[in-house]
Amino acid sequence: MASSTSFRISAEAKRVLAVRAEREGTSATALLERLILEGVQQLDHPGIVFRGPAHDRRAALAAGPDVWEVISRLQELEGSEEERIGVLSEETGLHPRLIRLAVDYAVEHVDEIRSRIDRNRELAERSRSAAQRRADLIA
């Protein structure tokens, strides 16, 4: 639940916030809240950035894939955590340190990451099912 808070910011900060909020079609308050949350998470997890439109932001490695993609692939692999990280590093060229960074972020944001993985798997299954129905139809 939101609560009212008062901050003093410079006129320049207020101006650029208002311009950006208008460009994104959102309120300055909503943009400021997102920037605070994402900014703190980036301070907690250096190397993590946030991508996507305001309604669908997702955590990602600064020089790589989304965190949920890293975790999803690790889940598909077999072996110990270090063995899986090694395989993924070989597959992608990502340094193991970056993969561990994604894992560390995911541990603290389990629900967010699981939700993205589940949504992607549902979409993939829907796509496979539709392709099979099309094939059956024209067979």
Side-chain angles (χ1 to χ4, degrees):
M1 184 165 171
S3 64
S4 180
T5 302
S6 177
F7 291 101
R8 292 186 186 274
I9 60 174
S10 70
E12 177 65 5
K14 185 176 180 180
R15 183 189 69 74
V16 296
L17 182 68
V19 167
R20 181 60 184 232
E22 184 175 335
R23 187 177 336 142
E24 291 190 15
T26 190
S27 70
T29 301
L31 177 57
L32 185 58
E33 180 175 2
R34 187 183 90 211
L35 292 171
I36 290 169
L37 292 171
E38 290 179 3
V40 170
Q41 290 174 9
Q42 288 175 319
L43 290 172
D44 290 345
H45 301 279
I48 295 292
V49 296
F50 292 86
R51 297 185 182 131
H55 70 280
D56 192 30
R57 302 288 287 171
R58 59 201 188 279
L61 293 171
D66 291 354
V67 170
W68 73 266
E69 294 173 305
V70 172
I71 301 306
S72 180
R73 181 63 184 131
L74 287 172
Q75 290 174 346
E76 295 168 352
L77 298 171
E78 294 185 8
S80 70
E81 179 179 334
E82 285 307 308
E83 290 170 335
R84 293 174 191 212
I85 288 172
V87 169
L88 185 56
S89 179
E90 286 292 319
E91 286 180 357
T92 63
L94 286 172
H95 193 282
R97 176 183 50 78
L98 294 175
I99 297 169
R100 287 186 197 94
L101 175 63
V103 171
D104 290 345
Y105 178 89
V107 165
E108 291 188 26
H109 302 89
V110 172
D111 292 341
E112 167 194 338
I113 301 306
R114 281 190 180 145
S115 174
R116 288 232 173 243
I117 292 170
D118 291 346
R119 183 171 25 176
N120 185 66
R121 288 179 178 157
E122 288 170 16
L123 290 171
E125 180 54 38
R126 225 182 290 161
S127 180
R128 279 190 291 275
S129 178
Q132 184 60 54
R133 289 192 310 271
R134 284 191 302 273
D136 292 346
L137 178 65
I138 60 174

